[in-house]
Amino acid sequence: MLDLNRLRILRAVVSSGSVNDTARRLGLTPSTVSQHVHTLEREVGFTLVERVGRGIRPTPAAIELAAASADALQAMAILEAQARDLREGATDKLTMRTFASAAYTWMPAVARTLRQEFPGLTLELSINESDTADTAGQADIEVHTEVPGDHPRVPPAFQRVELGGDDFLVALPHDHPLAEAGTMDLAEFSEDDWVQYDFRDEMATRLATDACAAAGFTPRFVARAQDHVTGLAFVAAGVGIALVPGLALGWSGFEVAYVRPTNPTPFRRIVALVRESVRANPAAARTIELLGDLGGRLNELTPTELARRAHR
């Protein structure tokens, strides 16, 4: 029988194309990732990765095996969650996974309300670093982002609930000539130096690249940051400008100006995935209600108001 954990690691390696990136995302050492892949190679009897320079390249067989393992891993995640519910009691604990900006901006208020209304509830929150459909289905409630136009992917035994649309804003140093513009055609920033504010976020990178292409230019990236905080720090220091989701501004304390781009205005959908087995749980239903209220208020504030709130 193939080891499911090794298959999960293989899928991460195939997705990232890098042992080091996989190790960083999974909280492992590169040698541990390599060891698991080599052990899996012995189990299946064929090569999974090839050396290319200093890096690696998954073989066609590895790509096919990784794709074929999706259903098995999803079924095991559901089984583990059901076993947990039977062991701990579904009403005593609510597990959640969200991406970082939703966790920092929304979840403190949600947790406070749940604590007041359900004193016996334990809320367990984890951050989803790789926000893709491949990793969905591991918690009772998950908050994910989607690219508009893409077909939504919902794990088995889950219900999808749309929470709202999150516009991307242009983050600018305060001395930028357009810092007080409020709104501006995205094409007006074609000659600027750009910062890629989180190059690990494939969805945000895709949205920014597509929006700039629609505006008729290719952004000239002079710096690429690995996380939101460093990216905004680069902008504040005057390194360049960046496209950032509005939701991320609620926990940013940097002295940065924001302009809402038009023609186009890139945005992402924010959705909740709710495990069907907890839909009757009052705490879960209340959580979705609270998230829906927060999602409905996205984009109500002007860029100036967002910047003022971020610096309080």
Side-chain angles (χ1 to χ4, degrees):
M1 181 179 296
L2 297 181
D3 184 273
L4 291 178
N5 185 51
R6 294 190 188 108
L7 287 171
R8 187 176 290 112
I9 291 173
L10 174 65
R11 285 176 61 80
V13 170
V14 168
S15 175
S16 67
S18 166
V19 168
N20 290 333
D21 285 349
T22 297
R24 181 171 57 251
R25 292 191 177 193
L26 299 182
L28 303 172
T29 64
S31 61
T32 298
V33 172
S34 296
Q35 182 179 357
H36 279 296
V37 172
H38 292 323
T39 300
L40 185 58
E41 284 181 328
R42 291 195 298 270
E43 291 178 346
V44 298
F46 51 80
T47 302
L48 296 174
V49 295
E50 300 171 332
R51 285 286 178 185
V52 179
R54 294 184 177 180
I56 58 97
R57 177 174 57 203
T59 65
I63 295 172
E64 187 173 346
L65 179 63
S69 67
D71 290 343
L73 292 172
Q74 180 61 54
M76 180 54 66
I78 294 172
L79 181 60
E80 289 174 345
Q82 290 175 339
R84 185 205 64 231
D85 289 346
L86 292 171
R87 181 178 65 251
E88 300 176 356
T91 60
D92 297 333
K93 180 179 178 181
L94 188 66
T95 60
M96 292 191 63
R97 296 174 75 231
T98 78
F99 54 93
S101 52
Y104 302 147
T105 304
W106 285 352
M107 291 312 301
V110 171
R112 182 180 61 245
T113 300
L114 293 178
R115 181 73 184 91
Q116 294 169 347
E117 298 181 6
F118 304 93
L121 178 73
T122 297
L123 177 65
E124 185 177 287
L125 176 68
S126 59
I127 304 297
N128 180 23
E129 292 292 348
S130 180
D131 190 23
T132 67
D134 286 340
T135 65
Q138 300 181 34
D140 296 326
I141 298 175
E142 302 195 10
V143 181
H144 289 275
T145 57
E146 297 176 345
V147 174
D150 283 2
H151 182 70
R153 298 178 62 183
V154 182
F158 275 77
Q159 179 187 35
R160 175 180 172 274
V161 179
E162 288 197 24
L163 301 177
D166 187 20
D167 286 353
F168 278 62
L169 305 177
V170 180
L172 311 164
H174 272 294
D175 60 356
H176 191 282
L178 298 178
E180 302 297 327
T183 61
M184 181 61 61
D185 278 5
L186 186 58
E188 294 297 322
F189 301 100
S190 61
E191 299 302 318
D192 281 275
D193 291 334
W194 284 72
V195 172
Q196 195 171 31
Y197 88 111
D198 185 357
F199 64 79
R200 297 182 308 172
D201 188 338
E202 297 177 2
M203 184 175 297
T205 299
R206 175 183 166 192
L207 284 170
T209 301
D210 289 351
C212 292
F217 70 97
T218 300
R220 181 176 61 251
F221 289 113
V222 298
R224 288 184 168 90
Q226 189 175 345
D227 60 89
H228 307 74
V229 176
T230 305
L232 287 172
F234 281 175
V235 174
V239 175
I241 67 175
L243 270 174
V244 301
L247 187 60
L249 309 187
W251 54 278
S252 165
F254 292 102
E255 293 294 329
V256 173
Y258 297 98
V259 170
R260 193 179 302 278
T262 57
N263 300 318
T265 301
F267 75 98
R268 60 184 182 178
R269 271 196 311 265
I270 301 180
V271 301
L273 301 176
V274 188
R275 192 183 303 280
E276 291 179 356
S277 62
V278 303
R279 288 177 57 189
N281 183 339
R286 180 62 168 140
T287 299
I288 295 302
E289 180 183 10
L290 294 168
L291 290 172
D293 289 343
L294 292 165
R297 295 202 295 268
L298 284 171
N299 307 321
E300 286 184 351
L301 300 179
T302 67
T304 301
E305 290 169 330
L306 282 167
R308 186 181 303 117
R309 173 175 291 189
H311 300 147
R312 285 178 182 172

